[in-house]
Amino acid sequence: MYRRERSIPLRGSAAPLCNNLSVLQLSARKLTYFGVVHGPSAQLLSVAPEGVPLAQRQLHAKEGAGVRPPLMTQVHWCVLPFRVLLVLTSHRGIQMYESNGNTMVYWHALDFGDASPGTWSGRVLVFDIPVKGPNIVLSEELAGHQTPITDIATEPAQGQDCVADMVTADDSGLLCVWRSGPEFTLLTRIPGFGVPCPSVKLWQGIIAAGYGNGQVHLYEATTGNLHVQINAHARAICALDLAPEVGKLLSAGEDTFVHIWKLSRSPESGYIEMEHCHGECVSDTQLCGARFCDSSGSSFAVTGYDLAEIRIFSSV
């Protein structure tokens, strides 16, 4: 069970974009960072353990070429084994900052009409990131999609061979499953069924995909086999998240509900199982983003369109 805690005020509401919330927990500093997109800018907040905001700032989309002002499409902290980067994407390009947003270390211009997490053209861009400094290089473009990229999920392969460690989703519902390395290898394609897949997650070889019809599907990553199909929401899913320590899955939909699920594998058959743990209604709100605030899933946060706050819920 979860209960509502003190909300975190925003200067403006979240834009009506799927996955419009990013969370980074810094345990050593006892801080949690939140990022939300609104129009041409991203709001960044640092929050103390008691839920008290310590600082709030805005980062704006780099203009690039074009007549119209660029709209921000995503804010996300990319946690690498050796470095954490804050990545902002807009219709004009990709901006990479140090984790606190103080210093921009890289700017990659996109062709007009492209956007991220991947691009409207279906390309997925792969960058080589150094341990420190701005010498970031575009190393590869992955071709597996013909429609706009909607989300990308990764999981450390931990040195295992033939293990899927990235999945990409697109506007047709197609999922491409990849293995990283010196070059990325496409392991399998999971066909769509005419419904967009706005959000996807990867955990211990399990792909969790949320669709525009409100369904959540669980697939075996290496084979693409469907294990679970459930009508989780009455309207489109706008965000998924996973708490990797415990296998909790969070789903948020345009029906104003957030649900918490428990994922597991049957020890006898190895079959993937899914159990409902909690449901929370954020009444009269078009939800845009939802994320766990920690890897154990002890709390989660949600954003909504025309809601000038981030709502926090903690386990009882």
Side-chain angles (χ1 to χ4, degrees):
M1 295 292 293
Y2 291 78
R3 66 183 178 190
R4 185 176 169 183
E5 302 288 353
R6 178 187 299 180
S7 295
I8 302 169
L10 294 169
R11 291 176 180 170
S13 72
L17 300 167
C18 290
N19 306 306
N20 191 2
L21 176 64
S22 188
V23 179
L24 174 68
Q25 187 184 45
L26 300 176
S27 300
R29 298 175 58 189
K30 297 183 179 180
L31 284 178
T32 303
Y33 285 108
F34 295 89
V36 180
V37 166
H38 179 78
S41 64
Q43 300 180 63
L44 305 181
L45 302 96
S46 58
V47 179
E50 314 79 57
V52 180
L54 299 180
Q56 184 169 170
R57 65 180 303 174
Q58 286 187 316
L59 295 177
H60 296 276
K62 188 175 171 66
E63 291 284 338
V67 178
R68 293 178 297 174
L71 293 176
M72 199 77 78
T73 56
Q74 193 97 127
V75 55
H76 186 72
W77 278 278
C78 292
V79 181
L80 305 172
F82 49 84
R83 190 176 186 180
V84 178
L85 289 177
L86 173 65
V87 180
L88 306 182
T89 62
S90 72
H91 295 90
R92 296 282 190 269
I94 301 167
Q95 299 163 225
M96 299 186 190
Y97 292 80
E98 297 295 356
S99 60
N100 57 13
N102 287 338
T103 306
M104 186 167 73
V105 296
Y106 183 75
W107 154 255
H108 178 83
L110 292 172
D111 296 333
F112 183 76
D114 281 353
S116 284
T119 63
W120 288 124
S121 63
R123 294 175 295 139
V124 178
L125 309 183
V126 180
F127 296 89
D128 282 337
I129 308 294
V131 174
K132 61 180 180 179
N135 296 323
I136 296 170
V137 177
L138 175 64
S139 62
E140 192 176 356
E141 294 190 14
L142 307 182
H145 297 272
Q146 302 299 317
T147 59
I149 303 295
T150 52
D151 200 14
I152 297 173
T154 61
E155 181 182 39
Q158 299 175 341
Q160 302 177 61
D161 293 333
C162 302
V163 172
D165 53 9
M166 187 176 83
V167 57
T168 53
D170 70 23
D171 211 32
S172 73
L174 171 70
L175 305 181
C176 288
V177 186
W178 309 83
R179 184 177 72 246
S180 65
E183 293 184 351
F184 278 76
T185 302
L186 179 61
L187 297 180
T188 187
R189 291 159 61 98
I190 302 173
F193 47 94
V195 178
C197 178
S199 195
V200 66
K201 292 296 171 184
L202 183 60
W203 178 72
Q204 295 189 1
I206 300 170
I207 296 171
Y211 292 92
N213 61 359
Q215 291 184 348
V216 172
H217 292 190
L218 300 184
Y219 300 95
E220 191 75 55
T222 52
T223 63
N225 291 337
L226 176 65
H227 283 234
V228 175
Q229 175 180 319
I230 187 167
N231 294 317
H233 293 269
R235 297 186 65 182
I237 289 174
C238 62
L240 294 180
D241 197 23
L242 267 161
E245 287 185 11
V246 292
K248 285 183 180 179
L249 174 70
L250 177 154
S251 65
E254 293 181 356
D255 58 359
T256 75
F257 275 91
V258 179
H259 292 294
I260 307 293
W261 316 82
K262 181 69 170 67
L263 306 186
S264 61
R265 284 185 184 271
S266 168
E268 293 83 17
S269 64
Y271 204 78
I272 301 167
E273 299 175 344
M274 183 175 179
E275 176 187 1
H276 185 261
C277 300
H278 180 77
E280 191 75 45
C281 177
V282 186
S283 59
D284 303 320
T285 302
Q286 180 185 338
L287 297 180
C288 304
R291 288 287 184 268
F292 284 117
C293 299
D294 54 71
S295 58
S296 64
S298 63
S299 62
F300 66 88
V302 300
T303 57
Y305 178 60
D306 211 21
L307 185 69
E309 62 184 17
I310 300 173
R311 292 192 179 173
I312 308 294
F313 298 85
S314 296
S315 58
V316 179

